[in-house]
Amino acid sequence: MAPISTPQTPFGRVLTAMVTPFTADGALDLDGAQRLAAHLVDAGNDGLIVNGTTGESPTTSDAEKDQLVRAVLEAVGDRAHIVAGIGTNDTHHSVELARAAERAGAHGLLAVTPYYNKPPQEGLFRHFTAIADATGLPVMLYDIPGRSGVPIDTETIVRLAAHPRIVANKDAKGDLGRASWAIARSGLAWYSGDDMLNLPLLSVGACGFVSVVSHVVTPELRALIDAHLSGDVQKATEVHQRLLPVFTGMFRTQGVITTKAALTLQGLPAGPLRLPLVELSPEETAQLKIDLAAGGVQL
C-alpha cells in the first residue's frame, strides 16, 4: 500500500533524515541501509530522507546516491515516503540528481539552499525553480543558513510557493518569527528541521518534523505530535522536556557523528564515517551515553 499524503502533510508528519550505513572498509552498505530503513519505518516514521547531509551526501558519488534510493525504495517504499536529497551548489548538477531520483522511483525531492557560493535571492529563486521544473516530483525546500550561509527570505519562499511542485519547506533557520510569517503567507507544508524547535514550530503552524534524533526516539516524537494535534499541550510539553537531553546530546558535535555512534550502541547498521567526519572520542561516547540515558533511550 502506498504511503498516505495530503496537501497539508505531503510527506507525512515524522520523517528521519537517514544516515548512510557504510561497511568497515568505507563502502556503501546497501543491506545495512535496507535494514535501518525498515527499523525506522517500523518505529513509526512516515518517511525517510536519503542522500541528505545527514546521509553524508557531500562524500557519496552520484552512482552511490542512485543505488541508495533504489535500495531503500525496495525495502520500504510501499509504506513510507522516500524523499531524495538532491541539493548541491550547482544548479545543473542538482537538476541531474533530481532526474536520476525520479528515474529511481523516489516519491519526492529535498533541495537545500546552495551553499558556499552565497547567491542572491533571485539566484535562489531560479535555482529552486529549475529543480522543480525538471521533474514531476513534489519538492521540499531546505532552509539552513547556518550551513548554506544564505537564508531563503520570506518573499522568496512566497514566490516559490506559487510553483505547483514546491509543496513544503524544511526549516532549520531557527527564527520562529520569520517562520510564522512564511507559514502564514506561503501556505507551504512546514517541517521542523531543528529538533530542539520541533514543538515551538508546531505551535506556529508546522505540520511535522524532518528529524535526526528520530533515529533513536521516533515513538516519542510521534507521541509529541499526536498530543499536540489532539490539543493536549501539557502532554506535548512534557514529552518535549523529557527529550531535551537527547536533543542536546545528539548535537554536542556534528549530528551525523553522534547519530552513527548512537546506532552502533544500539546494534543497528551505521558503520564508519567518511572524512572529513571522524568518530567520537571515548570521552564523547561516554557523554553521549549519559545524554541518551537521561532522555530515556535504551542502549
Side-chain angles (χ1 to χ4, degrees):
M1 184 175 66
I4 296 172
S5 65
T6 71
Q8 294 75 34
T9 57
F11 305 107
R13 292 195 181 276
V14 180
L15 298 90
T16 291
M18 195 179 94
V19 301
T20 299
F22 297 127
T23 61
D25 62 357
L28 189 63
D29 181 3
L30 293 176
D31 177 68
Q34 290 187 319
R35 288 187 287 122
L36 178 60
H39 167 79
L40 292 170
V41 174
D42 289 344
N45 279 280
D46 300 312
L48 302 172
I49 308 290
V50 297
N51 295 325
T53 309
T54 307
E56 296 179 74
S57 59
T59 58
T60 57
S61 69
D62 290 1
E64 288 175 322
K65 289 178 173 64
D66 184 73
Q67 291 172 335
L68 186 63
V69 170
R70 293 176 187 274
V72 172
L73 279 164
E74 180 181 37
V76 297
D78 61 338
R79 56 196 185 103
H81 301 271
I82 307 306
V83 180
I86 51 81
T88 72
N89 61 351
D90 173 356
T91 304
H92 179 72
H93 189 197
S94 292
V95 165
E96 289 182 334
L97 290 174
R99 289 172 174 159
E102 183 178 45
R103 289 193 297 270
H107 303 138
L109 305 173
L110 178 72
V112 72
T113 314
Y115 40 84
Y116 189 77
N117 42 20
K118 299 181 77 170
Q121 293 299 307
E122 182 62 26
L124 295 184
F125 176 79
R126 296 186 192 184
H127 173 84
F128 290 123
T129 299
I131 291 169
D133 285 344
T135 80
L137 296 177
V139 176
M140 180 189 295
L141 307 174
Y142 182 11
D143 187 9
I144 183 166
R147 291 194 180 203
S148 68
V150 177
I152 312 176
D153 287 349
T154 299
E155 295 298 329
T156 306
I157 291 172
V158 172
R159 288 178 69 196
L160 289 167
H163 196 291
R165 284 184 294 281
I166 296 177
V167 300
N169 183 57
K170 176 185 175 184
D171 182 0
K173 190 177 280 174
D175 188 325
L176 292 171
R178 293 170 81 175
S180 299
W181 274 112
I183 292 168
R185 295 185 58 209
S186 71
L188 291 177
W190 211 261
Y191 290 85
S192 170
D194 183 343
D195 279 302
M196 186 65 84
L197 296 183
N198 284 344
L199 180 57
L201 279 166
L202 288 179
S203 74
V204 297
C207 70
F209 318 136
V210 176
S211 173
V212 173
V213 304
S214 54
H215 281 91
V216 294
V217 292
T218 290
E220 291 81 358
L221 292 180
R222 289 225 69 100
L224 189 158
I225 202 166
D226 289 347
H228 176 82
L229 291 171
S230 70
D232 192 340
V233 176
Q234 180 176 344
K235 182 178 178 182
T237 303
E238 288 171 354
V239 176
H240 169 76
Q241 291 177 348
R242 285 201 303 271
L243 291 176
L244 289 175
V246 181
F247 297 155
T248 299
M250 291 285 280
F251 294 100
R252 288 187 186 274
T253 185
Q254 209 272 357
V256 184
I257 297 173
T258 48
T259 300
K260 283 198 162 182
L263 291 171
T264 299
L265 289 169
Q266 292 187 315
L268 291 165
L273 298 124
R274 288 184 176 176
L275 287 171
L277 300 184
V278 295
E279 278 70 28
L280 291 182
S281 69
E283 294 78 14
E284 289 172 323
T285 300
Q287 180 62 57
L288 178 62
K289 290 179 180 178
I290 293 170
D291 293 327
L292 295 177
V297 177
Q298 299 296 314
L299 298 176

